[in-house]
Amino acid sequence: MATSMVCLVALCLVSPLLLAGAVRGNPGYGGGLFPQFYEHSCPKAKEIVHSIVAQAVARETRMAASLVRLHFHDCFVKGCDASVLLDNSTTIVSEKGSNPNNNSIRGFEVVDEIKVALETACPGVVSCADILAIAARDSTILVGGPYWDVPLGRRDSLGASIQGSNNDIPAPNNTLPTIITKFKRLGLNIVDVVALSGGHTIGLSRCTSFRQRLYNQSGNGLADNTLDVSYAAQLRQGCPRSGGDNNLFPLDVVTSTKFDNFYFKNILAGRGLLSSDEVLLTKSAETAALVKAYADDVHLFFQHFAQSMVNMGNIMPLTGSQGEIRKNCRRLNNFH
């Protein structure tokens, strides 16, 4: 009976939300973006990006997760406009120095390499924002995840927002309502929250992002009681009470280099690494139903993840004559 109730809840929740997501992602792809944008102006663009991303992921599997995260941290701040790639200058305070990004965000050299190749093939045509969107899709596929058509035609920002980066990116210790609010503000829904969290099926996290769960979750000096005891003991060995801030741990303890649904199975077993992972199960029946549905059905997860990546990629793009096409992703064209 309990099982059938969960299934009913999952179906009731997933269907309307999935439909909303599907409808939202399709017509015109939002903001005038479409997958064939470079078909005539730079026909080899996608091939060039794929080739360089494939080499980078072959050198270091972790790079796949880093490139997906770069796109995420770009889109959540002023939209998908490559603002995250800008370095400090006389006029720019770089988002790279924000709390979520400092000593953490990576993959910039891969983007540089892609940009150089694209500028050689088609000077001034392919935006840095579109490079991030294609690289995130290719990274996902290269480690076993789903394919999706990437809507293209974004242009690059003329500024950055360190305040936006500090305030708008969901944090590992945010409450679930805060996380949901940060998504909803950008036009994303509950399915997007849970599906995109599933990106944590690959990649690594620093000790500083989950230490409080091991030692002092609610200010009472005790570990988070939703954390599996043996898993917590294992984590404490490499993440001491103080020091070791940058020690790295897999976000998916079972298959950290493969894009699959073990992230959700782990959460059900009390082996989600971050507080923001665990609260998907423990703080809302709606998100818990999706965690269970994805743990049961990898195809459903892949379908939702692909659609949610399109939805995220559609956040406030610059198009037409807005912004510019940067020649170097780290600086504005009129750099001084």
Side-chain angles (χ1 to χ4, degrees):
M1 178 63 193
T3 315
S4 62
M5 279 305 292
V6 168
C7 295
L8 283 172
V9 170
L11 285 173
C12 296
L13 290 168
V14 171
S15 304
L17 285 168
L18 172 59
L19 288 173
V23 170
R24 183 162 42 111
N26 286 339
Y29 288 98
L33 307 180
F34 57 100
Q36 302 79 20
F37 189 84
Y38 297 112
E39 210 165 81
H40 302 296
S41 57
C42 194
K44 288 208 157 69
K46 292 177 196 170
E47 200 180 302
I48 289 167
V49 176
H50 184 83
S51 160
I52 294 171
V53 171
Q55 290 166 36
V57 172
R59 286 194 301 269
E60 183 199 23
T61 315
R62 182 190 176 200
M63 188 52 72
S66 300
L67 291 170
V68 171
R69 186 166 182 249
L70 207 45
H71 183 41
F72 180 81
H73 281 214
D74 179 35
C75 291
F76 265 70
V77 183
K78 304 198 303 111
C80 310
D81 61 1
S83 62
V84 73
L85 301 178
L86 290 169
D87 285 339
N88 281 318
S89 72
T90 50
T91 56
I92 302 282
V93 180
S94 174
E95 293 170 20
K96 296 176 186 180
S98 72
N99 293 327
N101 292 341
N102 193 29
N103 290 327
S104 173
I105 203 157
R106 60 201 295 277
F108 299 110
E109 297 74 17
V110 178
V111 175
D112 292 339
E113 196 183 332
I114 294 168
K115 187 58 178 168
V116 167
L118 286 170
E119 285 300 304
T120 304
C122 328
V125 172
V126 182
S127 69
C128 301
D130 279 346
I131 290 172
L132 291 178
I134 302 168
R137 190 272 312 272
D138 291 350
S139 293
T140 302
I141 296 166
L142 286 160
V143 288
Y147 171 90
W148 63 93
D149 283 324
V150 181
L152 299 167
R154 299 167 192 80
R155 289 167 66 84
D156 299 325
S157 74
L158 299 172
S161 174
I162 192 164
Q163 295 84 357
S165 190
N166 278 322
N167 299 329
D168 300 342
I169 295 171
N173 57 352
N174 279 162
T175 64
L176 185 58
T178 298
I179 292 167
I180 291 169
T181 298
K182 287 181 175 183
F183 274 73
K184 284 195 169 162
R185 240 188 245 147
L186 300 171
L188 302 177
N189 65 27
I190 294 274
V191 172
D192 299 316
V193 170
V194 184
L196 292 173
S197 295
H200 287 173
T201 178
I202 52 173
L204 304 171
S205 179
R206 298 182 303 154
C207 164
T208 181
S209 297
F210 59 86
R211 175 185 279 124
Q212 87 286 350
R213 295 192 75 202
L214 305 179
Y215 301 104
N216 193 19
Q217 176 64 0
S218 33
N220 57 4
L222 299 174
D224 185 340
N225 62 9
T226 62
L227 198 56
D228 175 77
V229 175
S230 64
Y231 180 49
Q234 190 186 324
L235 292 171
R236 276 190 209 99
Q237 289 174 3
C239 184
R241 206 176 273 273
S242 63
D245 283 11
N246 294 326
N247 292 356
L248 295 168
F249 295 79
L251 284 154
D252 168 355
V253 70
V254 181
T255 55
S256 66
T257 58
K258 187 170 189 302
F259 200 101
D260 55 25
N261 64 339
F262 265 98
Y263 165 79
F264 297 104
K265 294 179 182 185
N266 295 339
I267 290 176
L268 294 177
R271 293 162 76 86
L273 183 62
L274 307 178
S275 174
S276 56
D277 299 326
E278 196 58 43
V279 294
L280 297 174
L281 179 66
T282 57
K283 298 296 183 187
S284 150
E286 214 172 340
T287 56
L290 286 162
V291 169
K292 289 166 187 160
Y294 297 158
D296 285 343
D297 186 347
V298 71
H299 301 294
L300 181 70
F301 166 49
F302 277 21
Q303 185 190 341
H304 285 200
F305 182 81
Q307 181 60 54
S308 289
M309 286 295 283
V310 172
N311 296 342
M312 182 182 81
N314 284 345
I315 297 170
M316 298 181 289
L318 300 173
T319 56
S321 59
Q322 299 171 307
E324 65 180 15
I325 306 295
R326 283 183 220 142
K327 295 184 177 68
N328 175 335
C329 292
R330 293 172 181 266
R331 54 176 185 249
L332 306 182
N333 292 340
N334 66 351
F335 175 76
H336 48 81

